[in-house]
Coordinates of all heavy atoms in Angstrom, one line a residue:
M1 N 19.8 2.6 18.0 CA 19.5 3.0 16.6 C 18.3 3.9 16.6 O 17.3 3.6 17.2 CB 19.3 1.7 15.8 CG 18.9 2.1 14.4 SD 18.5 0.6 13.4 CE 19.5 -0.7 14.1
S2 N 18.4 5.0 15.9 CA 17.3 5.9 15.8 C 16.8 6.0 14.4 O 17.5 5.7 13.4 CB 17.7 7.3 16.3 OG 18.7 7.8 15.4
Y3 N 15.5 6.2 14.3 CA 14.8 6.3 13.0 C 14.3 7.7 12.8 O 13.8 8.3 13.8 CB 13.7 5.3 12.9 CG 14.1 3.9 12.9 CD1 14.2 3.2 14.0 CD2 14.4 3.3 11.7 CE1 14.7 1.9 14.0 CE2 14.9 2.0 11.6 CZ 15.0 1.3 12.8 OH 15.4 0.0 12.7
S4 N 14.4 8.3 11.6 CA 13.9 9.6 11.3 C 12.4 9.4 10.9 O 11.9 8.3 10.8 CB 14.7 10.3 10.2 OG 14.4 9.6 9.0
L5 N 11.7 10.6 10.7 CA 10.3 10.5 10.4 C 10.1 9.9 9.0 O 9.0 9.4 8.7 CB 9.8 12.0 10.4 CG 9.7 12.6 11.7 CD1 9.2 14.1 11.6 CD2 8.7 11.9 12.6
N6 N 11.1 9.9 8.1 CA 10.8 9.4 6.8 C 11.2 7.9 6.7 O 11.2 7.3 5.7 CB 11.6 10.1 5.7 CG 13.1 10.0 5.9 OD1 13.6 9.3 6.8 ND2 13.9 10.7 5.0
G7 N 11.5 7.3 7.9 CA 11.7 5.8 7.9 C 13.2 5.4 7.7 O 13.5 4.3 7.8
S8 N 14.1 6.4 7.5 CA 15.5 6.0 7.3 C 16.1 5.8 8.7 O 15.6 6.3 9.7 CB 16.2 7.1 6.5 OG 16.2 8.3 7.2
S9 N 17.2 5.1 8.7 CA 17.9 4.8 10.0 C 19.3 5.3 9.9 O 19.8 5.7 8.8 CB 17.8 3.3 10.3 OG 18.7 2.7 9.4
N10 N 20.0 5.2 11.0 CA 21.4 5.6 11.0 C 22.2 4.4 10.7 O 23.4 4.5 10.6 CB 21.8 6.2 12.4 CG 21.1 7.5 12.6 OD1 20.8 8.2 11.7 ND2 20.9 7.8 13.9
D11 N 21.6 3.2 10.6 CA 22.3 2.0 10.3 C 22.4 1.7 8.8 O 21.3 1.5 8.2 CB 21.7 0.8 11.1 CG 22.5 -0.4 11.1 OD1 23.4 -0.6 10.2 OD2 22.2 -1.3 11.9
D12 N 23.6 1.6 8.2 CA 23.7 1.4 6.8 C 23.2 0.0 6.4 O 22.7 -0.2 5.3 CB 25.2 1.5 6.4 CG 25.7 3.0 6.4 OD1 24.8 3.9 6.3 OD2 26.9 3.2 6.6
R13 N 23.3 -1.0 7.3 CA 22.8 -2.3 7.1 C 21.3 -2.3 6.8 O 20.8 -3.0 6.0 CB 23.1 -3.3 8.2 CG 24.6 -3.5 8.4 CD 24.9 -4.3 9.6 NE 24.3 -3.7 10.7 CZ 24.0 -4.4 11.8 NH1 24.3 -5.7 12.0 NH2 23.4 -3.8 12.9
V14 N 20.6 -1.5 7.7 CA 19.1 -1.4 7.5 C 18.8 -0.8 6.2 O 17.9 -1.2 5.5 CB 18.5 -0.7 8.7 CG1 17.0 -0.4 8.5 CG2 18.7 -1.4 10.0
D15 N 19.5 0.3 5.9 CA 19.2 1.0 4.6 C 19.5 0.1 3.4 O 18.8 0.1 2.4 CB 20.0 2.3 4.5 CG 19.6 3.3 5.5 OD1 18.4 3.3 5.9 OD2 20.4 4.2 5.8
A16 N 20.6 -0.7 3.5 CA 20.9 -1.6 2.4 C 19.8 -2.7 2.3 O 19.5 -3.1 1.2 CB 22.3 -2.3 2.7
L17 N 19.3 -3.2 3.4 CA 18.3 -4.2 3.4 C 17.0 -3.6 2.8 O 16.3 -4.3 2.0 CB 18.0 -4.7 4.8 CG 16.9 -5.8 4.9 CD1 17.4 -7.1 4.1 CD2 16.7 -6.2 6.3
K18 N 16.7 -2.4 3.1 CA 15.5 -1.8 2.5 C 15.6 -1.6 1.0 O 14.7 -1.9 0.3 CB 15.2 -0.4 3.2 CG 14.7 -0.5 4.6 CD 14.5 0.9 5.2 CE 14.0 0.8 6.6 NZ 13.8 2.1 7.2
R19 N 16.8 -1.2 0.5 CA 17.1 -1.1 -0.9 C 17.0 -2.4 -1.6 O 16.4 -2.6 -2.6 CB 18.4 -0.4 -1.2 CG 18.5 1.1 -1.0 CD 19.8 1.6 -1.5 NE 21.0 1.1 -0.9 CZ 21.5 1.5 0.3 NH1 20.9 2.5 0.9 NH2 22.6 0.9 0.7
Q20 N 17.5 -3.5 -1.0 CA 17.5 -4.8 -1.5 C 16.0 -5.3 -1.6 O 15.6 -5.9 -2.6 CB 18.3 -5.7 -0.7 CG 18.4 -7.2 -1.2 CD 19.1 -8.1 -0.2 OE1 19.2 -7.8 1.0 NE2 19.7 -9.1 -0.8
H21 N 15.3 -5.0 -0.6 CA 13.8 -5.4 -0.6 C 13.1 -4.7 -1.7 O 12.3 -5.3 -2.4 CB 13.2 -5.1 0.8 CG 11.7 -5.2 0.8 ND1 11.1 -6.4 0.8 CD2 10.8 -4.3 0.9 CE1 9.8 -6.2 0.8 NE2 9.6 -4.9 0.9
Q22 N 13.4 -3.4 -1.8 CA 12.7 -2.6 -2.9 C 13.1 -3.1 -4.3 O 12.2 -3.2 -5.1 CB 13.1 -1.2 -2.7 CG 12.1 -0.2 -3.4 CD 12.4 1.2 -2.9 OE1 13.5 1.6 -2.6 NE2 11.4 2.0 -3.0
Q23 N 14.3 -3.5 -4.5 CA 14.7 -4.0 -5.8 C 14.1 -5.4 -6.0 O 13.6 -5.6 -7.2 CB 16.3 -4.2 -5.8 CG 17.0 -2.9 -5.9 CD 18.5 -3.0 -5.7 OE1 19.0 -4.1 -5.2 NE2 19.2 -2.0 -6.0
R24 N 14.0 -6.3 -5.0 CA 13.4 -7.6 -5.2 C 11.9 -7.4 -5.5 O 11.3 -8.1 -6.4 CB 13.5 -8.4 -3.9 CG 14.7 -9.2 -3.8 CD 14.6 -10.3 -2.7 NE 14.1 -9.8 -1.5 CZ 14.8 -9.7 -0.4 NH1 16.1 -10.0 -0.3 NH2 14.2 -9.2 0.7
Q25 N 11.2 -6.5 -4.8 CA 9.8 -6.2 -5.1 C 9.6 -5.6 -6.5 O 8.6 -6.1 -7.1 CB 9.3 -5.2 -4.0 CG 7.9 -5.4 -3.7 CD 7.4 -4.6 -2.5 OE1 8.1 -3.7 -2.0 NE2 6.3 -4.9 -2.0
T26 N 10.4 -4.8 -6.9 CA 10.3 -4.2 -8.2 C 10.5 -5.3 -9.3 O 9.7 -5.4 -10.3 CB 11.3 -3.1 -8.5 OG1 11.1 -2.0 -7.5 CG2 11.3 -2.5 -9.9
R27 N 11.5 -6.1 -9.2 CA 11.7 -7.2 -10.1 C 10.5 -8.2 -10.1 O 10.0 -8.6 -11.2 CB 12.9 -8.0 -9.8 CG 14.2 -7.4 -10.2 CD 15.4 -8.3 -10.1 NE 15.6 -8.9 -8.8 CZ 16.3 -8.4 -7.8 NH1 17.0 -7.3 -8.0 NH2 16.4 -9.0 -6.7
F28 N 9.9 -8.5 -8.9 CA 8.7 -9.3 -8.8 C 7.6 -8.7 -9.6 O 6.9 -9.4 -10.4 CB 8.4 -9.6 -7.4 CG 7.0 -10.2 -7.3 CD1 6.8 -11.6 -7.6 CD2 5.9 -9.5 -6.9 CE1 5.6 -12.1 -7.5 CE2 4.7 -10.0 -6.8 CZ 4.5 -11.4 -7.1
F29 N 7.3 -7.4 -9.3 CA 6.2 -6.7 -10.0 C 6.3 -6.7 -11.5 O 5.3 -7.0 -12.2 CB 6.0 -5.3 -9.5 CG 5.3 -5.2 -8.2 CD1 5.8 -4.4 -7.2 CD2 4.2 -5.9 -7.9 CE1 5.2 -4.2 -6.0 CE2 3.5 -5.8 -6.7 CZ 4.1 -5.0 -5.7
I30 N 7.5 -6.5 -12.0 CA 7.7 -6.5 -13.4 C 7.5 -7.9 -14.0 O 6.8 -8.0 -15.0 CB 9.1 -5.9 -13.8 CG1 9.2 -4.4 -13.5 CG2 9.5 -6.2 -15.2 CD1 10.6 -3.8 -13.5
A31 N 8.1 -8.9 -13.4 CA 7.9 -10.3 -13.9 C 6.5 -10.7 -13.8 O 6.0 -11.3 -14.8 CB 8.8 -11.2 -13.1
F32 N 5.8 -10.4 -12.7 CA 4.4 -10.7 -12.6 C 3.5 -10.1 -13.7 O 2.7 -10.7 -14.3 CB 3.9 -10.4 -11.2 CG 2.4 -10.8 -11.0 CD1 2.1 -12.1 -10.6 CD2 1.4 -9.9 -11.2 CE1 0.8 -12.4 -10.5 CE2 0.1 -10.2 -11.1 CZ -0.2 -11.5 -10.7
A33 N 3.8 -8.8 -13.9 CA 3.0 -8.1 -14.9 C 3.2 -8.6 -16.3 O 2.2 -8.8 -17.1 CB 3.4 -6.6 -14.9
I34 N 4.4 -9.0 -16.6 CA 4.7 -9.6 -17.9 C 4.0 -10.9 -18.1 O 3.3 -11.2 -19.1 CB 6.2 -9.7 -18.1 CG1 6.8 -8.3 -18.3 CG2 6.5 -10.6 -19.3 CD1 8.4 -8.3 -18.3
I35 N 4.1 -11.8 -17.1 CA 3.5 -13.1 -17.1 C 2.0 -13.0 -17.2 O 1.3 -13.7 -18.0 CB 4.0 -14.0 -15.9 CG1 5.4 -14.3 -16.1 CG2 3.1 -15.3 -15.8 CD1 6.1 -14.9 -14.9
E36 N 1.4 -12.2 -16.3 CA 0.0 -12.0 -16.3 C -0.5 -11.4 -17.6 O -1.6 -11.8 -18.1 CB -0.5 -11.1 -15.1 CG -1.9 -10.9 -15.0 CD -2.7 -12.1 -14.4 OE1 -2.0 -13.1 -14.0 OE2 -3.9 -12.0 -14.3
G37 N 0.2 -10.5 -18.1 CA -0.2 -9.9 -19.4 C -0.2 -10.9 -20.6 O -1.1 -10.9 -21.4
I38 N 0.9 -11.7 -20.6 CA 1.0 -12.8 -21.6 C -0.2 -13.8 -21.4 O -0.8 -14.2 -22.4 CB 2.3 -13.5 -21.5 CG1 3.4 -12.5 -22.0 CG2 2.3 -14.8 -22.3 CD1 4.8 -13.0 -21.8
A39 N -0.5 -14.2 -20.2 CA -1.6 -15.1 -20.0 C -2.9 -14.5 -20.4 O -3.7 -15.2 -21.1 CB -1.7 -15.5 -18.5
L40 N -3.2 -13.3 -20.1 CA -4.5 -12.6 -20.5 C -4.5 -12.4 -22.0 O -5.5 -12.7 -22.7 CB -4.6 -11.3 -19.8 CG -5.1 -11.4 -18.4 CD1 -5.0 -10.0 -17.7 CD2 -6.5 -12.0 -18.2
L41 N -3.4 -12.1 -22.6 CA -3.3 -11.9 -24.1 C -3.6 -13.2 -24.8 O -4.3 -13.3 -25.8 CB -2.0 -11.3 -24.5 CG -1.8 -11.1 -26.0 CD1 -2.8 -10.1 -26.5 CD2 -0.4 -10.7 -26.3
A42 N -3.0 -14.3 -24.3 CA -3.2 -15.6 -24.8 C -4.7 -16.0 -24.7 O -5.3 -16.6 -25.7 CB -2.3 -16.7 -24.1
G43 N -5.3 -15.7 -23.6 CA -6.7 -16.0 -23.4 C -7.6 -15.2 -24.4 O -8.5 -15.7 -25.0
V44 N -7.2 -13.9 -24.6 CA -8.0 -13.1 -25.6 C -7.8 -13.7 -27.0 O -8.8 -13.8 -27.8 CB -7.5 -11.6 -25.5 CG1 -8.1 -10.9 -26.7 CG2 -8.0 -11.0 -24.2
V45 N -6.6 -14.1 -27.3 CA -6.3 -14.6 -28.7 C -7.1 -15.9 -28.9 O -7.8 -16.1 -29.9 CB -4.8 -14.9 -28.9 CG1 -4.6 -15.7 -30.1 CG2 -4.1 -13.6 -29.0
V46 N -7.1 -16.8 -27.9 CA -7.8 -18.1 -28.0 C -9.3 -17.9 -28.1 O -10.0 -18.5 -28.9 CB -7.5 -19.0 -26.8 CG1 -8.5 -20.1 -26.7 CG2 -6.1 -19.5 -26.9
V47 N -9.9 -16.9 -27.3 CA -11.3 -16.7 -27.3 C -11.8 -15.9 -28.5 O -12.8 -16.3 -29.1 CB -11.7 -16.1 -25.9 CG1 -13.2 -15.7 -26.0 CG2 -11.4 -17.0 -24.8
Y48 N -11.2 -14.8 -28.7 CA -11.7 -13.8 -29.7 C -11.1 -13.8 -31.1 O -11.8 -13.6 -32.1 CB -11.7 -12.4 -29.1 CG -12.5 -12.2 -27.9 CD1 -12.0 -12.1 -26.6 CD2 -13.9 -12.3 -28.0 CE1 -12.8 -12.0 -25.5 CE2 -14.7 -12.1 -26.9 CZ -14.2 -12.0 -25.7 OH -15.0 -11.9 -24.5
L49 N -9.8 -14.2 -31.2 CA -9.2 -14.2 -32.5 C -9.3 -15.6 -33.2 O -9.7 -15.7 -34.3 CB -7.8 -13.7 -32.4 CG -7.6 -12.2 -32.0 CD1 -6.1 -11.9 -32.0 CD2 -8.3 -11.3 -33.0
L50 N -8.9 -16.6 -32.4 CA -8.9 -17.9 -33.0 C -10.3 -18.6 -32.8 O -10.6 -19.6 -33.5 CB -7.9 -18.8 -32.3 CG -6.4 -18.4 -32.5 CD1 -5.5 -19.3 -31.7 CD2 -6.0 -18.3 -33.9
E51 N -11.1 -18.0 -32.0 CA -12.5 -18.5 -31.7 C -12.5 -20.0 -31.4 O -13.4 -20.7 -31.8 CB -13.4 -18.1 -32.9 CG -13.6 -16.6 -33.0 CD -14.5 -16.3 -34.2 OE1 -14.9 -17.1 -35.0 OE2 -14.7 -15.1 -34.3
L52 N -11.6 -20.5 -30.6 CA -11.5 -21.9 -30.2 C -12.5 -22.1 -29.1 O -12.9 -23.3 -28.8 CB -10.1 -22.3 -29.8 CG -9.0 -22.2 -30.8 CD1 -7.7 -22.5 -30.3 CD2 -9.4 -23.1 -32.0
I53 N -12.9 -21.1 -28.4 CA -13.8 -21.1 -27.3 C -14.9 -20.1 -27.5 O -14.6 -19.0 -28.0 CB -13.1 -20.8 -25.9 CG1 -12.0 -21.9 -25.6 CG2 -14.1 -20.8 -24.8 CD1 -11.2 -21.5 -24.4
D54 N -16.1 -20.5 -27.3 CA -17.3 -19.6 -27.5 C -17.1 -18.4 -26.6 O -16.7 -18.5 -25.4 CB -18.6 -20.3 -27.1 CG -19.8 -19.4 -27.2 OD1 -19.9 -18.8 -28.3 OD2 -20.6 -19.4 -26.3
P55 N -17.2 -17.1 -27.1 CA -17.0 -15.9 -26.3 C -17.8 -15.8 -25.1 O -17.3 -15.3 -24.1 CB -17.3 -14.8 -27.3 CG -17.1 -15.4 -28.7 CD -17.5 -16.8 -28.5
E56 N -19.0 -16.4 -25.1 CA -19.8 -16.3 -23.8 C -19.2 -17.2 -22.7 O -19.3 -16.9 -21.6 CB -21.2 -16.8 -24.1 CG -22.0 -15.8 -24.9 CD -23.5 -16.3 -25.1 OE1 -23.9 -17.2 -24.4 OE2 -24.1 -15.7 -26.0
Q57 N -18.5 -18.3 -23.1 CA -17.8 -19.1 -22.1 C -16.4 -18.6 -21.9 O -15.8 -18.7 -20.9 CB -17.8 -20.5 -22.6 CG -19.2 -21.2 -22.6 CD -19.2 -22.5 -23.3 OE1 -18.2 -22.9 -23.8 NE2 -20.3 -23.2 -23.2
G58 N -15.8 -18.0 -23.0 CA -14.5 -17.6 -22.9 C -14.2 -16.4 -22.0 O -13.1 -16.3 -21.4
I59 N -15.3 -15.6 -21.8 CA -15.1 -14.5 -20.8 C -14.8 -15.1 -19.4 O -14.1 -14.5 -18.6 CB -16.4 -13.6 -20.8 CG1 -16.1 -12.3 -20.0 CG2 -17.6 -14.3 -20.2 CD1 -15.2 -11.4 -20.7
W60 N -15.4 -16.3 -19.1 CA -15.1 -16.9 -17.8 C -13.7 -17.4 -17.7 O -13.1 -17.4 -16.6 CB -16.1 -18.0 -17.5 CG -17.5 -17.4 -17.4 CD1 -18.5 -17.6 -18.2 CD2 -17.9 -16.6 -16.3 NE1 -19.6 -16.9 -17.8 CE2 -19.3 -16.3 -16.6 CE3 -17.4 -16.1 -15.2 CZ2 -20.0 -15.4 -15.8 CZ3 -18.1 -15.3 -14.4 CH2 -19.4 -15.0 -14.7
L61 N -13.1 -17.8 -18.8 CA -11.7 -18.1 -18.9 C -10.8 -16.9 -18.5 O -9.9 -17.0 -17.7 CB -11.3 -18.7 -20.2 CG -9.8 -18.9 -20.5 CD1 -9.3 -20.0 -19.6 CD2 -9.5 -19.1 -21.9
L62 N -11.2 -15.8 -19.1 CA -10.4 -14.5 -18.8 C -10.6 -14.1 -17.4 O -9.6 -13.6 -16.7 CB -10.9 -13.4 -19.8 CG -10.6 -13.7 -21.2 CD1 -11.2 -12.6 -22.1 CD2 -9.1 -13.9 -21.5
V63 N -11.8 -14.2 -16.9 CA -12.1 -13.9 -15.4 C -11.3 -14.8 -14.5 O -10.7 -14.4 -13.6 CB -13.6 -13.9 -15.1 CG1 -13.8 -13.9 -13.6 CG2 -14.3 -12.8 -15.8
A64 N -11.2 -16.1 -14.9 CA -10.5 -17.1 -14.1 C -9.0 -16.7 -14.1 O -8.3 -16.8 -13.0 CB -10.7 -18.5 -14.6
I65 N -8.4 -16.4 -15.2 CA -7.0 -16.0 -15.3 C -6.7 -14.8 -14.4 O -5.8 -14.7 -13.7 CB -6.6 -15.7 -16.8 CG1 -6.6 -17.0 -17.6 CG2 -5.2 -15.0 -16.9 CD1 -6.5 -16.7 -19.1
A66 N -7.6 -13.8 -14.5 CA -7.5 -12.6 -13.7 C -7.6 -12.9 -12.2 O -6.8 -12.4 -11.4 CB -8.5 -11.5 -14.1
L67 N -8.5 -13.7 -11.8 CA -8.7 -14.1 -10.4 C -7.5 -14.9 -9.9 O -7.0 -14.7 -8.7 CB -10.0 -14.9 -10.2 CG -11.3 -14.1 -10.3 CD1 -12.5 -15.0 -10.2 CD2 -11.3 -13.0 -9.2
I68 N -7.0 -15.8 -10.6 CA -5.9 -16.6 -10.2 C -4.7 -15.7 -10.1 O -3.9 -15.8 -9.1 CB -5.6 -17.8 -11.2 CG1 -6.7 -18.8 -11.1 CG2 -4.3 -18.4 -11.0 CD1 -6.7 -19.8 -12.2
G69 N -4.5 -14.8 -11.1 CA -3.4 -13.9 -11.0 C -3.5 -13.0 -9.8 O -2.5 -12.7 -9.1
G70 N -4.7 -12.5 -9.5 CA -4.9 -11.7 -8.3 C -4.6 -12.4 -7.0 O -4.0 -11.9 -6.1
F71 N -5.0 -13.7 -6.9 CA -4.7 -14.5 -5.8 C -3.2 -14.7 -5.6 O -2.6 -14.6 -4.5 CB -5.4 -15.9 -5.9 CG -5.1 -16.8 -4.7 CD1 -5.7 -16.6 -3.5 CD2 -4.3 -17.9 -4.9 CE1 -5.5 -17.4 -2.4 CE2 -4.0 -18.7 -3.9 CZ -4.6 -18.5 -2.6
I72 N -2.5 -15.1 -6.7 CA -1.1 -15.3 -6.6 C -0.4 -14.0 -6.2 O 0.6 -14.0 -5.4 CB -0.5 -15.8 -8.0 CG1 -1.0 -17.2 -8.3 CG2 1.0 -15.7 -8.1 CD1 -0.8 -17.7 -9.7
L73 N -0.8 -12.9 -6.8 CA -0.2 -11.6 -6.4 C -0.4 -11.3 -4.9 O 0.6 -10.9 -4.2 CB -0.8 -10.4 -7.2 CG -0.3 -9.0 -7.0 CD1 1.2 -8.9 -7.3 CD2 -1.1 -8.0 -7.8
S74 N -1.6 -11.5 -4.4 CA -1.8 -11.2 -3.0 C -1.0 -12.1 -2.1 O -0.4 -11.6 -1.1 CB -3.3 -11.5 -2.7 OG -4.1 -10.6 -3.4
M75 N -1.0 -13.4 -2.4 CA -0.2 -14.3 -1.6 C 1.3 -14.0 -1.6 O 2.0 -14.1 -0.6 CB -0.4 -15.8 -2.0 CG -1.8 -16.3 -1.7 SD -2.2 -16.2 0.1 CE -3.3 -14.8 0.2
S76 N 1.8 -13.6 -2.8 CA 3.2 -13.3 -3.0 C 3.5 -12.0 -2.2 O 4.6 -11.9 -1.6 CB 3.5 -13.1 -4.5 OG 3.3 -14.3 -5.2
L77 N 2.7 -11.0 -2.2 CA 2.9 -9.8 -1.5 C 3.0 -10.1 0.0 O 3.8 -9.5 0.8 CB 1.9 -8.7 -1.8 CG 2.0 -8.1 -3.2 CD1 0.9 -7.2 -3.4 CD2 3.4 -7.4 -3.3
V78 N 2.1 -10.9 0.5 CA 2.1 -11.3 1.9 C 3.4 -12.0 2.3 O 4.1 -11.7 3.3 CB 0.9 -12.2 2.3 CG1 1.1 -12.8 3.7 CG2 -0.4 -11.3 2.2
S79 N 3.8 -12.9 1.4 CA 5.1 -13.6 1.6 C 6.3 -12.7 1.6 O 7.2 -12.8 2.5 CB 5.2 -14.7 0.6 OG 6.4 -15.4 0.7
I80 N 6.3 -11.8 0.6 CA 7.4 -10.8 0.5 C 7.4 -9.9 1.8 O 8.5 -9.7 2.3 CB 7.3 -10.0 -0.7 CG1 7.6 -10.8 -2.0 CG2 8.2 -8.8 -0.7 CD1 7.2 -10.1 -3.3
G81 N 6.3 -9.5 2.2 CA 6.2 -8.6 3.4 C 6.7 -9.4 4.7 O 7.5 -8.8 5.5
R82 N 6.3 -10.6 4.8 CA 6.8 -11.4 6.0 C 8.3 -11.6 5.9 O 9.0 -11.6 6.9 CB 6.0 -12.7 6.0 CG 4.6 -12.6 6.5 CD 4.0 -14.0 6.5 NE 2.6 -13.8 7.0 CZ 1.6 -14.7 6.8 NH1 1.9 -15.9 6.2 NH2 0.4 -14.5 7.2
R83 N 8.8 -11.9 4.7 CA 10.2 -12.2 4.6 C 11.0 -10.9 4.9 O 12.0 -11.0 5.6 CB 10.5 -12.6 3.1 CG 12.0 -12.8 2.8 CD 12.2 -13.2 1.4 NE 13.6 -13.2 1.1 CZ 14.1 -13.4 -0.1 NH1 13.2 -13.6 -1.1 NH2 15.3 -13.5 -0.3
H84 N 10.5 -9.8 4.5 CA 11.2 -8.5 4.8 C 11.2 -8.2 6.3 O 12.2 -7.8 6.8 CB 10.6 -7.4 4.0 CG 11.2 -6.1 4.3 ND1 12.5 -5.8 3.9 CD2 10.7 -4.9 4.8 CE1 12.8 -4.5 4.3 NE2 11.7 -4.0 4.9
A85 N 10.0 -8.4 6.9 CA 9.9 -8.2 8.3 C 10.9 -9.1 9.1 O 11.5 -8.7 10.0 CB 8.5 -8.4 8.8
Q86 N 10.9 -10.4 8.7 CA 11.8 -11.3 9.4 C 13.3 -10.9 9.2 O 14.1 -11.0 10.1 CB 11.6 -12.8 8.8 CG 12.5 -13.8 9.6 CD 12.2 -13.9 11.0 OE1 11.0 -13.9 11.4 NE2 13.2 -13.9 11.9
E87 N 13.6 -10.5 8.0 CA 15.0 -10.1 7.7 C 15.4 -8.9 8.6 O 16.5 -8.7 9.1 CB 15.2 -9.8 6.2 CG 15.3 -11.0 5.3 CD 15.3 -10.6 3.9 OE1 15.0 -9.5 3.5 OE2 15.6 -11.5 3.1
M88 N 14.4 -8.0 8.7 CA 14.6 -6.8 9.5 C 14.8 -7.1 11.0 O 15.6 -6.6 11.6 CB 13.4 -5.8 9.3 CG 13.7 -4.4 9.8 SD 15.0 -3.6 8.9 CE 14.1 -3.0 7.5
R89 N 13.9 -8.1 11.5 CA 14.1 -8.5 12.8 C 15.4 -9.2 13.1 O 16.1 -9.0 14.1 CB 12.9 -9.5 13.2 CG 11.6 -8.8 13.5 CD 10.6 -9.8 14.2 NE 10.3 -10.9 13.3 CZ 9.3 -10.8 12.4 NH1 8.6 -9.7 12.2 NH2 9.0 -11.9 11.6
D90 N 15.8 -10.0 12.1 CA 17.1 -10.7 12.2 C 18.3 -9.7 12.3 O 19.3 -9.9 13.0 CB 17.3 -11.7 11.1 CG 16.4 -12.9 11.1 OD1 15.8 -13.1 12.2 OD2 16.3 -13.6 10.1
L91 N 18.1 -8.6 11.5 CA 19.2 -7.6 11.4 C 19.2 -6.7 12.6 O 20.3 -6.4 13.2 CB 19.0 -6.8 10.1 CG 20.1 -5.8 9.8 CD1 21.4 -6.6 9.6 CD2 19.8 -5.0 8.6
T92 N 18.1 -6.3 13.1 CA 18.0 -5.3 14.2 C 17.8 -5.9 15.5 O 18.0 -5.2 16.5 CB 16.9 -4.3 13.9 OG1 15.6 -5.0 13.9 CG2 17.1 -3.5 12.6
G93 N 17.4 -7.2 15.6 CA 17.2 -7.8 16.9 C 15.9 -7.4 17.5 O 15.7 -7.6 18.7
R94 N 15.0 -6.8 16.7 CA 13.7 -6.4 17.3 C 12.6 -7.3 16.8 O 12.4 -7.8 15.8 CB 13.3 -5.0 16.8 CG 14.2 -4.0 17.4 CD 13.8 -2.6 16.9 NE 14.8 -1.7 17.4 CZ 14.7 -0.4 17.3 NH1 13.6 0.1 16.8 NH2 15.6 0.4 17.7

């Protein structure tokens, strides 16, 4: 099997796997962005609009939401990358 400079291969199975990986990754990013956006919006509403939490303390809630989201995103990307690499090894035998 040969690969071109742009990363495409002559094997349709490899190309199909790459497309499938890209679609899964796109769905993940969209879902993650929606969930993270809702969580941050809810935090802003609770802290600044409803004033249930003092804004000086509430900022730490927003920072915590962002940090947790960043950690989940990082771990998910590592997991997705490993899964894709394993699927590629299983398919190509490399």
Side-chain angles (χ1 to χ4, degrees):
M1 176 182 331
S2 64
Y3 292 92
S4 69
L5 292 176
N6 66 1
S8 65
S9 71
N10 293 332
D11 190 344
D12 291 335
R13 297 175 306 160
V14 171
D15 292 336
L17 182 61
K18 286 180 182 180
R19 280 191 303 277
Q20 183 184 27
H21 170 71
Q22 199 168 28
Q23 289 170 346
R24 274 195 313 249
Q25 205 169 18
T26 299
R27 282 192 305 266
F28 168 75
F29 281 134
I30 290 170
F32 181 83
I34 290 170
I35 292 167
E36 182 75 2
I38 290 170
L40 285 170
L41 180 62
V44 167
V45 167
V46 165
V47 173
Y48 295 108
L49 294 180
L50 299 177
E51 297 179 354
L52 297 176
I53 299 173
D54 180 46
E56 289 183 18
Q57 296 171 350
I59 191 71
W60 294 110
L61 172 70
L62 298 176
V63 169
I65 292 170
L67 287 174
I68 291 167
F71 178 76
I72 291 170
L73 179 62
S74 297
M75 293 298 104
S76 297
L77 288 175
V78 168
S79 176
I80 288 170
R82 286 181 181 161
R83 177 180 174 186
H84 179 64
Q86 183 62 45
E87 288 174 343
M88 194 65 84
R89 280 192 298 273
D90 292 346
L91 186 64
T92 61
R94 293 182 187 189

